[in-house]
Amino acid sequence: MDANALPLLDRAVLQKLRDGLDDEDVCKLFVLNFIALLPDRAEKVRLTLTTGDLRGALDAVLSLKSSSQMVGAERLAEFATDLEHSLRVDTRHAEPARLLPQLAAANISRITKCGRQTTDLLQKYVA
């Protein structure tokens, strides 16, 4: 699937989260925590990829993917899903120490840009 075709934010997921938590303030706090932790999550993805740390990269990408899915950050979650797939499949046929920096070069800027755009929308949501 083309991640760019997905919306940055799926408000239905946010509504489902709010309904599940049964408290708007708790939902807002959850979203604010996502926003606060997003730069660290993206940095961990960058660091583990550029240093060729396959296990760390998988952990970082899964954290980014699952947290993004929970707040409805559809495009960001799909970027993470695509990267996870590359980590799991492409590393079977290539040396991780050589491949992971290439994956960093191909993915970090779009993850960072998407993260900023998603953060802007989420900040408007909690305002």
Side-chain angles (χ1 to χ4, degrees), residues 94-110:
E95 178 61 36
R98 291 182 49 190
L99 177 65
L100 271 59
Q102 294 171 0
L103 290 174
N107 289 280
I108 294 303
S109 65
R110 70 181 181 158

Side-chain angles (χ1 to χ4, degrees), residues 61-81:
V61 167
L62 288 171
S63 174
L64 178 63
K65 179 177 93 170
S66 63
S67 63
S68 297
Q69 289 170 330
M70 292 176 75
V71 297
E74 298 296 317
R75 190 177 304 170
L76 189 56
E78 188 63 25
F79 284 149
T81 298

